[in-house]
Every structure is written in structure tokens, then in C-alpha cells.
Amino acid sequence: MITFCLISTAAFASQQNFNNAKNHLVKIYTANPEQTTFYCGCEFSFNGKSGVVDFGKCGYTPRKNQARASRIEWEHVMPAENFGRHLQCWRNGGRKECKKDPTFNTMEGDLHNLQPSIGEVNGDRSNYRYSQFTKTLNQYGQCQSAVDFKQRQFQPREEIRGVIARTYFYMQDKYNINLSDAQSKLMTAWDNEYPPDEWECERNKQIERIQGNDNKFITEKCN
């Protein structure tokens, strides 16, 4: 059962940033505990604001960082560098400098672009581009996502490829972020091949109630 989580839209919109976004996401996922981690489909729970991953049921095996693998981190589906580099603050001093920029804070705290991830996978993904490059998926035990560190690319499991595509289209549309021709083609293919499931549709509605805007690329496919 999907549970509604009601929070004041005005209160969030007036202070849209990464820290506030994380607080709201903890409430959303605490109210919907059947939802799993984005890249690996593992169950997780919260101890206060700290997310704890259950490796046992999903067959996840840490690649090298047991401590980071055990915790939930909030992954920017479109990496911060991808949208930050469009701003002067990023050119002046990267993410640290952009923390002073209200436009960057709004973009960084956009709930539509944030997903719960096993910390180790979040770190390994870094700002690598999404791709399809391998049939061997064993870096993280039974987790069906993979990373190519040499080519700086990340292959997500099939179940979330449509979510990724619609998130990229949303960020491109809302914040005028450029996508390469190759990325646009890949995202279009994923958007068409992997339509939204019930949770993607409901999550979109819950975020709209909090943040005040939907992801129209999800809404149009859920109606």
C-alpha cells in the first residue's frame, strides 16, 4: 500500500535546498517502507534520519566500502556537476562556491532528482554518465547495476531506466540543462521502453504536494 505524506508546499518552496529535501524524503520513504533502494532494489529502514540497508534479502555484496554500503544516501539522478556547471558559481569554485548560490540550492534540493541509494553505489556512480555496456553484473553481488570506472560510465538496472530518463528530461526542461545527442537518444529509448509503475506515478504526486510542481514527463504517462 502506498501511503500519502502531507507537508506544507509553501514551507518547502521558501527553503528549497539539499538538506531540507533530505528531511522530506526521509518522511516520504518512512511512510512508504515497502520501497527499495534505487540502483539495487534493497530494502532499507530509518533510525531517525539515518537510513540502514538490509543486504540479506537483496543479495548485495559490498565492493570495497562496507561502512558506506550500509547506509542510505540521497543520489542526484542527474549529477550536481551536470546542472552546477551551467552556473557562474561552479566556474568560480565548484560545488563549494555554489553552496552560496540560491539558484544552485534550489536545483540541488529538487525532490524530483533525488533517489535513495546504497552509499557505496552512490559514491561509485560519482558523476559518470548512464550507459549500457555490459552483461556481467556482479560487482555488488546480486545488484543488477554496474560501473565502468575506466570509461566513467554507469549502467543502471532495467527497472529504473525509465525513471532516470524522465528525471533527465525534467531537469533539462525545468533548468535548461543541455543533454548531449547520445544522452538524448538513450533517454528517449529508455522513456519509451520502460513506462512508469505505480510508485513512480504516486511519488510524483507526493512531491508535487510538497514542492509545488510535478514532473510532467511522468504525469503525462500516468494519466
Side-chain angles (χ1 to χ4, degrees):
M1 182 180 72
I2 293 172
T3 305
F4 291 87
C5 183
L6 297 176
I7 302 164
S8 167
T9 299
F12 179 77
S14 67
Q15 299 183 47
Q16 186 170 323
N17 58 53
F18 190 33
N19 284 335
N20 282 341
K22 288 187 286 187
N23 291 336
H24 288 299
L25 287 162
V26 168
K27 293 176 184 177
I28 289 173
Y29 283 86
T30 298
N32 294 276
E34 72 279 9
Q35 303 307 323
T36 59
T37 63
F38 194 55
Y39 293 129
C40 296
C42 293
E43 293 183 14
F44 64 97
S45 58
F46 288 100
N47 180 10
K49 294 181 181 180
S50 299
V52 182
V53 183
D54 183 348
F55 296 154
K57 293 182 181 178
C58 68
Y60 183 91
T61 302
R63 186 180 67 82
K64 64 183 290 187
N65 192 331
Q66 176 81 35
R68 194 169 181 183
S70 300
R71 68 176 187 244
I72 288 293
E73 295 178 0
W74 297 103
E75 160 79 322
H76 287 91
V77 178
M78 175 180 281
E81 182 179 0
N82 287 39
F83 54 80
R85 67 188 179 204
H86 288 70
L87 303 174
Q88 186 62 46
C89 60
W90 197 275
R91 295 188 283 273
N92 290 344
R95 193 169 191 159
K96 183 177 180 181
E97 189 65 26
C98 275
K99 285 292 188 181
K100 307 168 190 174
D101 187 288
T103 301
F104 177 81
N105 287 332
T106 297
M107 296 161 80
E108 189 185 33
D110 195 309
L111 294 166
H112 289 293
N113 189 42
L114 292 164
Q115 294 283 352
S117 173
I118 290 173
E120 180 180 47
V121 183
N122 181 34
D124 285 353
R125 189 267 165 129
S126 183
N127 60 356
Y128 296 171
R129 69 187 184 280
Y130 291 112
S131 184
Q132 290 178 238
F133 58 86
T134 183
K135 294 186 188 302
T136 305
L137 299 166
N138 57 14
Q139 286 172 304
Y140 307 103
Q142 294 176 31
C143 174
Q144 294 296 294
S145 293
V147 61
D148 182 340
F149 294 100
K150 188 173 182 180
Q151 298 298 322
R152 296 178 61 82
Q153 54 188 352
F154 186 92
Q155 178 174 295
R157 62 192 179 108
E158 288 191 33
E159 293 88 342
I160 60 168
R161 290 176 186 175
V163 182
I164 290 168
R166 289 178 282 278
T167 302
Y168 263 60
F169 289 149
Y170 166 82
M171 294 295 288
Q172 178 188 41
D173 178 69
K174 184 166 180 61
Y175 301 111
N176 196 28
I177 307 300
N178 297 326
L179 299 183
S180 68
D181 289 343
Q183 285 282 282
S184 291
K185 284 183 179 180
L186 180 64
M187 296 305 163
T188 299
W190 284 358
D191 180 36
N192 291 330
E193 189 173 353
Y194 304 101
D197 61 11
E198 183 185 4
W199 171 241
E200 185 180 352
C201 295
E202 181 53 41
R203 183 182 188 272
N204 182 42
K205 291 177 183 176
Q206 293 198 24
I207 289 174
E208 182 179 12
R209 286 192 288 271
I210 297 166
Q211 188 168 286
N213 70 294
D214 69 336
N215 177 340
K216 68 181 183 182
F217 301 95
I218 299 173
T219 301
E220 65 189 16
K221 293 205 168 190
C222 292
N223 292 336

